[in-house]
Amino acid sequence: MCIDRFYQLIININISGTMTVVPEGLDREFVARVIDAAFAERRKTIRNSMSANGFAKDVLDAAFEACGISPTTRAETLDVADFVRLAQELGDVDHTA
């Protein structure tokens, strides 16, 4: 699928040309799932979009706080490194609602 290839490219390289490395032990598919969930709902905050797509709100709130991301942020304002950090935080817990 085209979108999967796009996410793989986004995870590997960002617009400025610097590499964003997915830390060892963090599943790239999980990072892609986090990104998918963040962008799944149009005109929604990242918290609302991700909670509507299988992530528990209390777990999201803890992960956002740990990453220094406001839950009222919109996904398009985050960079690749933010999504990798968020996936890292979410990867350590059972994140389902």
Side-chain angles (χ1 to χ4, degrees):
M1 181 178 202
C2 249
I3 290 177
D4 291 335
R5 292 182 71 164
F6 171 74
Y7 284 131
Q8 186 169 1
L9 288 173
I10 261 188
I11 291 168
N12 289 325
I13 240 175
N14 66 23
I15 292 173
S16 68
T18 59
M19 294 297 287
T20 300
V21 178
V22 175
E24 186 144 343
L26 182 59
D27 183 15
R28 287 174 184 254
E29 288 186 29
F30 182 68
V31 176
R33 181 171 172 238
V34 168
I35 295 169
D36 280 339
F39 283 97
E41 304 291 324
R42 295 180 66 191
R43 298 187 301 270
K44 296 275 186 178
T45 64
I46 192 168
R47 181 180 189 262
N48 289 339
S49 183
M50 292 184 74
S51 66
N53 286 279
F55 290 87
K57 287 184 179 185
D58 59 332
V59 173
L60 286 170
D61 290 341
F64 292 144
E65 185 175 339
C67 294
I69 297 171
S70 170
T72 59
T73 298
R74 296 197 186 275
E76 62 269 17
T77 65
L78 300 178
D79 63 21
V80 177
D82 293 326
F83 284 111
V84 170
R85 272 196 327 275
L86 183 57
Q88 220 169 358
E89 287 296 323
L90 291 170
D92 293 334
V93 294
D94 178 14
H95 48 77
T96 53

